[in-house]
Amino acid sequence: MVNIRNATEQDAKSLAYIQTESWKSAFRGILSEGDLVKHTELDKTEAMYGQVLQNPNIRVLLETVSGKPHCMAAWGPNRAVLGVQTAELICIHSLPDKWRQGYGSMMMDRILADMREAGFSEVMLWVFEQNQRARKFYEKHGFSLTERTQNGFGAVELMYSRKL
């Protein structure tokens, strides 16, 4: 049984666990070992989500599978000054034990529906250039590579976007 709901402050520990475990698997070999260790500290990530969940501009979702937290996502107005009609998928992370089983796609479908309902007409996101698994996932969901790049955590990030 899958349930996707808005996260609450009581979910900060689960959100942090999902993100840090996802990062450890997905970004090994993309980020330096030092950066990976630094950005996967559970206590600091939990504190960060405690603050994020208080921001009314950021929507955080939690997906449970058979009652256990599995996937999380955060989105809001874009931070790249692309206009008020463009949302940003800030992050989507899931525990690696269930990758490629459709749970991330369920979360993506919910995110895109919520963005449309909120009045956005486009969505953008940043993804590490070397993260081929994630890039294929986004392309499967209709995202296209743009020409914009940035440096994130010492690695090249590419901007993807799509119409809603």
Side-chain angles (χ1 to χ4, degrees), residues 12-27 36 39-42 44-46 48-49 52 70-72 74 90-96 153:
K13 184 180 229 63
S14 293
L15 299 170
Y17 180 74
I18 293 167
Q19 178 173 315
T20 57
E21 291 303 304
S22 177
W23 274 51
K24 289 173 188 176
S25 294
F27 301 156
L36 194 56
H39 295 292
T40 57
E41 291 181 28
L42 191 58
K44 287 183 180 179
T45 307
E46 182 179 349
M48 184 259 315
Y49 276 111
V52 167
H70 170 66
C71 183
M72 59 79 53
I90 299 167
C91 68
I92 181 170
H93 299 294
S94 61
L95 295 175
F153 305 100

Side-chain angles (χ1 to χ4, degrees), residues 50-120:
Q51 293 177 346
V52 167
L53 289 163
Q54 294 177 32
N55 184 334
N57 294 318
I58 299 176
R59 177 113 179 250
V60 182
L61 299 171
L62 177 63
E63 179 182 60
T64 58
V65 178
S66 299
K68 295 180 182 177
H70 170 66
C71 183
M72 59 79 53
W75 68 272
N78 79 85
R79 300 171 290 174
V81 193
L82 298 176
V84 297
Q85 295 301 312
T86 303
E88 179 175 358
L89 177 55
I90 299 167
C91 68
I92 181 170
H93 299 294
S94 61
L95 295 175
D97 66 326
K98 289 185 177 56
W99 282 352
R100 298 189 180 275
Q101 294 182 28
Y103 299 112
S105 292
M106 289 178 203
M107 177 65 89
M108 181 63 78
D109 291 345
R110 168 68 183 271
I111 293 163
L112 298 175
D114 286 356
M115 289 175 174
R116 279 189 292 274
E117 186 177 311
F120 291 98

Side-chain angles (χ1 to χ4, degrees), residues 24-41:
K24 289 173 188 176
S25 294
F27 301 156
R28 188 162 310 287
I30 295 174
L31 300 181
S32 72
E33 193 62 33
D35 278 342
L36 194 56
V37 168
K38 177 181 169 186
H39 295 292
T40 57
E41 291 181 28

Side-chain angles (χ1 to χ4, degrees), residues 145-149 158-159:
L145 182 63
T146 71
E147 295 181 9
R148 295 184 76 162
T149 64
L158 307 173
M159 182 192 284

